[in-house]
């Protein structure tokens, strides 16, 4: 078992455990959901902010749980290429990490109670399913991430669920445009996971973690990444062509050069530093694309 070899302040260890570079995956769908509500004259600031807080808490809780359970299951080993994990390195004792997981998901549930009061039983179902899937990604008798289902559930909850849920707690209804607008956000969020799993493909295989990257192989995973990015850019164009919104949604295409650089990066090798940069770059792409897409929906 690998242990921390140098002193790291406790606050920094907890920051590392929260994985701030992944948080755009929680922010991006909420931004798009808020923009859709504003465009339809349905903005409600307090539910919108509560949706953002809930999404961030669930993402952080999932990160803490992944750190804990990947270590307990033996997946995080000394040979992993990614950033230091606090459980594996001993930076945070396991009992403290378990307590933090419970506290963060508890806070998410408290925020969820308010959102259920606003949005009713559909939000109750969505909230419970979101927390359950965040935990079930690496925990439980059938962890989703260990059976090639992580990509699907990330798309459902960080795309359709998060965009749709944010819109619903404001408008108390859903439209087909909301569902379609959730697709590019979900696709880019899955792309973040694809890079992560491509980087960890060797250590995950050794730890019996059968991610979709392992099932598809390196070539298939790279193709999945390209298809996900292609989907993200195709949907705004189709929304404009079919009259669902104005041509301003094509502002999101300003991120195309960044996408090209990222595709080149993941095709240039599987060394840890390169893919770590591609991972951070894909998270940044998700956020910037979503900001421009949201702005286009407003304009």
């Amino acid at each position: 078992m690998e242990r921390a070899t140098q002193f790291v302040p406790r606050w920094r260890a907890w920051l590392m455990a929260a994985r701030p570079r992944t948080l755009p995956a929680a922010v991006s769908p909420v931004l798009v959901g808020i923009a859709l509500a504003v465009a339809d004259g349905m903005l409600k600031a307090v539910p919108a902010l509560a949706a953002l807080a809930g999404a961030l808490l669930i993402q952080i809780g999932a990160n803490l749980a992944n750190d804990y359970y990947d270590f307990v299951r033996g997946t995080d080993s000394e040979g992993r290429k990614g950033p230091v994990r606090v459980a594996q390195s001993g930076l945070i004792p396991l009992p403290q990490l378990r307590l933090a997981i419970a506290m963060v998901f508890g806070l998410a549930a408290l925020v969820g109670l308010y959102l259920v009061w606003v949005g009713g039983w559909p939000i109750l179902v969505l909230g419970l399913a979101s927390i359950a899937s965040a935990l079930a990604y690496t925990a439980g008798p059938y962890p989703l991430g260990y059976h090639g289902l992580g990509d699907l559930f990330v798309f459902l909850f960080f795309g359709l669920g998060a965009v749709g849920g944010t819109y619903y707690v404001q408008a108390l209804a859903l439209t087909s445009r909301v569902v379609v607008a959730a697709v590019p956000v979900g696709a880019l969020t899955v792309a973040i996971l694809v890079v992560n799993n491509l980087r960890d493909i060797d250590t995950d295989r050794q730890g019996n973690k059968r991610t979709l990257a392992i099932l598809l192989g390196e070539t298939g995973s790279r193709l999945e990444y390209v298809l996900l990015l292609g989907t993200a850019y195709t949907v705004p164009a189709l929304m404009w062509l079919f009259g669902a919104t104005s041509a301003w949604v094509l502002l999101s295409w300003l991120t195309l050069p960044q996408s090209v650089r990222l595709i080149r990066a993941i095709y240039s090798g599987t060394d840890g530093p390169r893919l770590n940069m591609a991972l951070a770059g894909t998270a940044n792409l998700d956020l910037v694309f979503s900001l421009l897409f949201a702005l286009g929906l407003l304009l």
Side-chain angles (χ1 to χ4, degrees):
M1 176 173 57
E2 181 183 344
R3 290 292 173 183
T5 57
Q6 58 182 4
F7 173 75
V8 175
R10 184 50 59 94
W11 68 266
R12 184 170 178 80
W14 283 110
L15 184 64
M16 292 165 60
R19 305 184 196 178
R21 288 185 176 183
T22 69
L23 297 186
V27 175
S28 297
V30 176
L31 291 177
V32 173
I34 291 173
L36 287 162
V38 172
D40 291 343
M42 299 291 183
L43 174 68
K44 293 181 179 177
V46 177
L49 290 174
L52 176 60
L56 286 168
L57 286 167
I58 290 174
Q59 176 67 58
I60 292 171
N63 290 340
L64 296 176
N66 292 350
D67 197 311
Y68 178 88
Y69 287 105
D70 275 346
F71 171 68
V72 170
R73 292 180 181 275
T75 305
D76 280 350
S77 62
E78 295 182 5
R80 72 183 305 275
K81 301 176 182 178
V84 173
R85 293 291 175 247
V86 298
Q88 175 203 12
S89 62
L91 288 172
I92 297 177
L94 294 184
Q96 292 184 23
L97 199 52
R98 284 197 301 269
L99 178 61
I101 292 168
M103 289 177 61
V104 171
F105 280 120
L107 288 172
L110 286 176
V111 174
L113 286 177
Y114 165 72
L115 291 173
V116 169
W117 179 70
V118 171
W121 68 265
I123 299 303
L124 175 63
V125 173
L126 177 61
L128 290 176
S130 297
I131 292 175
S133 67
L135 281 168
Y137 184 77
T138 50
Y142 194 83
L144 303 172
Y146 283 69
H147 293 87
L149 296 173
D151 300 55
L152 173 62
F153 276 78
V154 164
F155 177 78
L156 291 176
F157 287 101
F158 285 92
L160 303 181
V163 175
T166 299
Y167 183 88
Y168 189 89
V169 295
Q170 298 172 84
L172 301 182
L174 281 180
T175 67
S176 58
R177 187 168 79 141
V178 172
V179 175
V180 174
V183 172
V185 184
L188 289 176
T189 307
V190 175
I192 299 172
L193 181 62
V194 171
V195 180
N196 180 84
N197 290 344
L198 178 62
R199 180 199 63 201
D200 294 342
I201 197 166
D202 292 329
T203 52
D204 283 346
R205 186 181 289 112
Q206 294 167 9
N208 295 318
K209 184 177 182 180
R210 293 177 58 81
T211 62
L212 188 59
I214 289 176
L215 298 176
L216 295 177
E218 292 184 8
T219 300
S221 295
R222 290 187 175 101
L223 178 59
E224 180 192 4
Y225 185 84
V226 172
L227 291 175
L228 288 167
L229 266 58
T231 298
Y233 290 102
T234 300
V235 171
L238 291 177
M239 291 179 70
W240 167 54
L241 290 173
F242 284 93
T245 188
S246 72
W248 283 109
V249 289
L250 298 182
L251 281 172
S252 57
W253 281 36
L254 291 174
T255 59
L256 267 171
Q258 184 179 359
S259 292
V260 172
R261 289 193 296 270
L262 289 168
I263 290 171
R264 287 176 177 169
I266 69 162
Y267 271 94
S268 62
T270 57
D271 60 283
R274 187 186 305 275
L275 289 182
N276 285 335
M277 287 190 293
L279 179 63
T282 305
N284 177 263
L285 171 67
D286 185 15
L287 181 59
V288 176
F289 178 100
S290 297
L291 279 168
L292 292 172
F293 185 45
L295 180 60
L297 291 168
L298 290 174
L299 295 174

